[in-house]
Amino acid sequence: MRGLRLAVAMLSVGLAGCGPTPQWYKGNLHTHSYWSDGDQFPEVILQWYRDRGYDFVSMSDHNVLATTERWVTVGTIPSGEGSLAAYLALFGEEWVERRQDEGGLLQVRLKRFGEYAGRVAEPGRFLVLQAEEISDRFESRPLHVNATNLVELIPPQGGTSVADVLQRNIDAVLAQRRATGQPMFPHVNHPNFGWAVTAEDLMDLQGERFFEVYNGHPLVHNAGDSLHPSTDRLWDIVLAHRLTGGLDVMYGVATDDAHNYAQMDSTRANPARGWIMVRAEALTPDAIITAMEAGDFYASTGVILTEIAASGERLALRIAEEPGVTYVTEFVGTRRGYDRGIEELPDAAGLPVTHRYSLEIGTVLAEVSGPNPEYAFTGDELYVRARVRSSRRPDNPVHAGEVQMAWVQPVLVR
Ligand SMILES: [Zn+2]
Ligand SMILES: [Zn+2]
C-alpha cells in the first residue's frame, strides 16, 4: 500500500506543517506466536505479512516479551511438525536452532525479539514492533490491553472493577512511556470477548485513545447480540459521553488477533482479516504513533481509501474502486443535546449490566453511494465519522453475511 501517494486537495485530518510527503502504511497491531498461544514461529508469521504487502506488524503475545531463552518441544506445540517444516523451508537449516531434550524429543529455540525482527525487518520497507497483550481479568471477565512499542514487560496490574483493571494497565503503559521516553500506546482489545467490557467501562478511561472496533478472532462478538451493542455502536456511546464530558476522543483500530497460521477457515483466528492504514511521514515507530495519535489512520477489513479530507465544513472520502464492487458510506454522528435517556437491560446471570441508549446516539446522518462520498456538517454534531461497506465478501470471513468495510476516525465538529 506504499504506492498510494495522495493528491490532497484539502487539509487532511490531523496534519499540519510541511515535513516529508505522508504515505499510507498498512499494519496489524495484534499478533500471537509460539511465545504464547499462536501456532507458528515469529519469523514465519512476519514474513507471511511482509509477503502480503503489510508495512508493519506488532508481535503481541500474552504477558510475555521475547527476551529470554526459550525452547519449545515440537511434538507438544500446536501444528508443531507443519510449522517447523515451514520455518525450515523459509529460513534454512542454519537459522533454525534445534536440539533433543533429555527424553530425546525434538526442541526448537524461539528467537528473541531482536533476533527475529533483525532477520525480517528492513528500514523503510518493513517495520516490526515489540508489543505485549497484557492479559488481565476481573472476576471471570477477560480484560486485555495491548501495549505497542513498549520496552519492558508489564505484568497484569489487577484492580477492583473492570474499569479499574483497564485503567491500571493503561496507566502502567503510560508510566513506562514517561519513564523511558519511548513512544508507546495502550489499546483496549476486543471489548465484547466474554462480554467483558461495556461502554460504561470504557467511557471514563483516562489516557486511552484506542480500542478495537474490529478484531478478527472468531470468538469476540464484534456484532454484539440482543443484550450487547456491537463494537461499532459501543464506539458511538463512548464518543458521545466522552466528547460531552470534555474527555479525549477514542479512535477505532481493526486487528487480526491472529493465532492460527496452519489452517485458514472461519473457525480459526487467522491473519489478514482486519488492519489499519496509517498516513505517516515515515515507516518508523515514532512516525506511525504520532500519526495514529493525531487520528490520521483508518481501520479496514478490505475497503481501501486513497483520501480522507476533513475541513471545518465537511468530511470527504475517496475510495479505491474495485471493478464490479459497489460502496455505500454511512456518515455516523451524534448531535449536541442528544437524548440521554438510558434503559437498563435485564442482567443475564454473571454478565455485566448492560444499558440501552437512545438512538439519537450514533445516528446515520447520511448514506452515500459511490466512490467519492462526502458529508457537509450542519454544525450541531459533536463528531462525525464514516463507515464504508462494500458489496464484496472478505476473502476469509468469520461470519456469514460479512462484507469488506472501512472505518474512518471521528472528526470533531467545532
Ligand atoms: Zn485478547
Ligand atoms: Zn490476542
Side-chain angles (χ1 to χ4, degrees):
M1 297 306 137
R2 270 184 306 273
L4 291 172
R5 283 169 189 275
L6 301 180
V8 181
M10 284 179 273
L11 186 66
S12 280
V13 185
L15 270 183
C18 44
T21 307
Q23 297 183 35
W24 290 110
Y25 295 106
K26 178 177 182 174
N28 175 43
L29 297 174
H30 191 161
T31 322
H32 298 276
S33 75
Y34 279 140
W35 276 95
S36 64
D37 56 352
D39 68 9
Q40 187 50 277
F41 295 91
E43 302 94 301
V44 179
I45 297 166
L46 291 165
Q47 191 64 46
W48 192 96
Y49 277 105
R50 185 173 174 169
D51 290 346
R52 281 155 187 81
Y54 282 73
D55 299 296
F56 65 97
V57 172
S58 293
M59 295 302 300
S60 60
D61 277 300
H62 297 283
N63 296 336
V64 67
L65 294 182
T67 54
T68 56
E69 177 164 332
R70 185 181 294 185
W71 293 78
V72 292
T73 303
V74 174
T76 63
I77 51 177
S79 308
E81 299 286 347
S83 293
L84 175 58
Y87 192 24
L88 282 164
L90 270 171
F91 292 94
E93 297 281 339
E94 268 188 48
W95 177 260
V96 178
E97 292 173 65
R98 284 151 293 172
R99 71 178 187 194
Q100 292 194 329
D101 73 1
E102 288 145 13
L105 296 175
L106 177 62
Q107 295 189 314
V108 178
R109 187 170 78 81
L110 298 182
K111 303 284 187 185
R112 295 183 176 89
F113 176 79
E115 295 173 305
Y116 67 69
R119 178 72 194 246
V120 186
E122 185 182 343
R125 298 189 73 89
F126 190 69
L127 173 67
V128 182
L129 295 161
Q130 178 162 258
E132 175 191 351
E133 184 173 9
I134 306 169
S135 304
D136 210 335
R137 57 181 53 249
F138 176 70
E139 296 173 345
S140 62
R141 294 169 212 166
L143 303 174
H144 297 178
V145 174
N146 253 59
T148 297
N149 202 38
L150 81 177
V151 180
E152 300 277 348
L153 186 76
I154 297 176
Q157 303 289 299
T160 58
S161 67
V162 170
D164 187 50
V165 170
L166 293 173
Q167 187 68 61
R168 286 171 189 260
N169 285 298
I170 290 161
D171 289 349
V173 180
L174 300 177
Q176 187 179 115
R177 180 174 183 161
R178 283 191 299 275
T180 61
Q182 171 149 311
M184 63 184 76
F185 66 90
H187 88 245
V188 175
N189 300 117
H190 46 56
N192 281 347
F193 176 50
W195 306 116
V197 179
T198 64
E200 294 74 35
D201 297 321
L202 288 177
M203 57 175 53
D204 288 313
L205 293 176
Q206 305 278 326
E208 180 54 88
R209 308 292 304 280
F210 307 100
F211 89 110
E212 286 176 348
V213 67
Y214 176 89
N215 174 302
H217 197 293
L219 301 177
V220 298
H221 307 293
N222 296 312
D225 69 2
S226 62
L227 282 177
H228 305 88
S230 67
T231 48
D232 211 306
R233 174 147 177 80
L234 183 147
W235 195 6
D236 288 303
I237 297 167
V238 168
L239 285 170
H241 176 88
R242 291 177 76 86
L243 297 176
T244 306
L247 288 166
D248 284 335
V249 65
M250 200 176 274
Y251 296 128
V253 300
T255 70
D256 281 334
D257 199 355
H259 289 72
N260 308 125
Y261 307 89
Q263 282 176 275
M264 303 283 179
D265 64 51
S266 65
T267 66
R268 291 168 216 275
N270 292 146
R273 286 195 172 118
W275 62 88
I276 52 174
M277 299 292 295
V278 184
R279 210 170 85 88
E281 293 190 348
L283 185 60
T284 63
D286 288 21
I288 294 289
I289 293 172
T290 297
M292 287 186 68
E293 291 183 333
D296 218 351
F297 72 104
Y298 66 92
S300 179
T301 58
V303 172
I304 296 301
L305 307 176
T306 55
E307 188 178 326
I308 301 171
S311 67
E313 288 93 40
R314 64 187 61 240
L315 173 60
L317 314 178
R318 286 188 196 281
I319 300 166
E321 272 189 285
E322 291 182 73
V325 180
T326 57
Y327 303 88
V328 175
T329 299
E330 293 168 295
F331 290 93
V332 178
T334 301
R335 300 184 193 277
R336 293 171 213 282
Y338 65 89
D339 175 4
R340 309 250 183 120
I342 301 168
E343 178 192 350
E344 198 162 295
L345 294 178
D347 181 17
L351 294 175
V353 175
T354 57
H355 299 88
R356 185 170 285 144
Y357 286 80
S358 148
L359 292 176
E360 290 184 21
I361 292 177
T363 310
V364 176
L365 303 164
E367 194 175 285
V368 184
S369 297
N372 302 309
E374 65 173 71
Y375 172 77
F377 305 145
T378 60
D380 65 346
E381 305 95 342
L382 274 169
Y383 66 92
V384 176
R385 63 187 184 90
R387 179 168 63 220
V388 185
R389 294 176 196 280
S390 86
S391 59
R392 189 175 157 187
R393 294 253 296 155
D395 298 332
N396 179 17
V398 173
H399 301 292
E402 275 184 76
V403 293
Q404 296 190 2
M405 294 181 62
W407 292 263
V408 173
Q409 304 307 330
V411 177
L412 276 53
V413 180
R414 309 281 178 198

